[in-house]
Amino acid sequence: MPEAPRFQAYLSKPVQPSALLDALLGAFASQARDAIQSREETGTTTRAAQHIDAQMAARHPLRILLAEDNLVNQKLALHLLGQMGYRPDLAANGIEVLRALERQTYDVILMDVQMPEMDGLEASRQVCARWSGNRRLPIIAMTANAMQGDRE
C-alpha cells in the first residue's frame, strides 16, 4: 500500500488570509524565522495579523502551484496570494498538477483535497513518490471538510 502523503499544513476553506500566511511561513520555517521574529517584535503575530503582507513575495519569493477545481475558491486563493505579491500557476485537478510538475519546478503546492479526475490525496501520493528525498516539495492541503479524518 502506498505511503499516505504527509502535508506541511492544511487549510480549511474558505481560506482566511492569516491562515494562508501561517501555512506558507510554516512550510518554509527556516526562511520564515526572520519574518516571524519581526512580527513578534512589533507585537503582531501572524495569527493576529489584520492585514495582508503585500511585500511577502519580495522577501520570500516562491513559485506556487495552486491546485483547485472550484472557480470561486480559485479566485479567492488567487486574490489572496496576489495581495501578497504572488502569481501562482493553476491546476484544476491532480492530473494537471503532475503535468505542471513535469514542466517546471515549484516551491510549494496548495492542494485541494477533493478534485475531479484525480483528487488531491492521490496527486500528493504520486508527487511524494516521484519527487522524494531532497527534491520533495511542501504540499499544503486545502479542504472545506473540517472533520478530523479529513485533516489526517
Side-chain angles (χ1 to χ4, degrees):
M1 182 166 166
E3 182 181 337
R6 285 178 258 152
F7 298 105
Q8 294 293 119
Y10 72 89
L11 297 170
S12 296
K13 294 189 271 184
V15 175
Q16 299 297 314
S18 62
L20 177 59
L21 179 60
D22 283 348
L24 288 172
L25 290 175
F28 298 95
S30 62
Q31 296 175 4
R33 215 166 312 200
D34 293 337
I36 292 169
Q37 184 177 3
S38 171
R39 288 180 184 279
E40 288 173 351
E41 288 171 359
T42 61
T44 308
T45 64
T46 55
R47 290 202 187 280
Q50 297 298 312
H51 68 283
I52 293 178
D53 185 351
Q55 301 302 313
M56 185 171 170
R59 286 191 311 277
H60 304 284
L62 298 173
R63 188 95 178 120
I64 300 172
L65 178 60
L66 172 64
E68 173 63 64
D69 65 309
N70 181 284
L71 187 59
V72 172
N73 292 336
Q74 283 177 2
K75 287 182 179 184
L76 174 62
L78 289 171
H79 177 73
L80 291 174
L81 290 164
Q83 287 184 316
M84 293 179 199
Y86 294 109
R87 294 183 167 271
D89 291 339
L90 187 62
N93 61 57
I95 294 169
E96 290 183 15
V97 167
L98 298 176
R99 287 181 185 151
L101 289 171
E102 289 169 356
R103 287 191 304 269
Q104 73 177 53
T105 303
Y106 290 93
D107 297 307
V108 64
I109 302 172
L110 299 175
M111 182 83 74
D112 182 13
V113 172
Q114 297 178 341
M115 294 183 289
E117 296 186 51
M118 179 187 291
D119 68 21
L121 296 175
E122 180 57 30
S124 296
R125 284 185 200 96
Q126 290 196 28
V127 168
C128 291
R130 290 185 194 183
W131 292 274
S132 60
N134 62 353
R135 294 180 7 196
R136 182 167 178 176
L137 65 151
I139 302 171
I140 298 172
M142 299 190 306
T143 183
N145 297 325
M147 297 184 308
Q148 186 62 33
D150 293 318
R151 290 183 193 130
E152 292 169 0

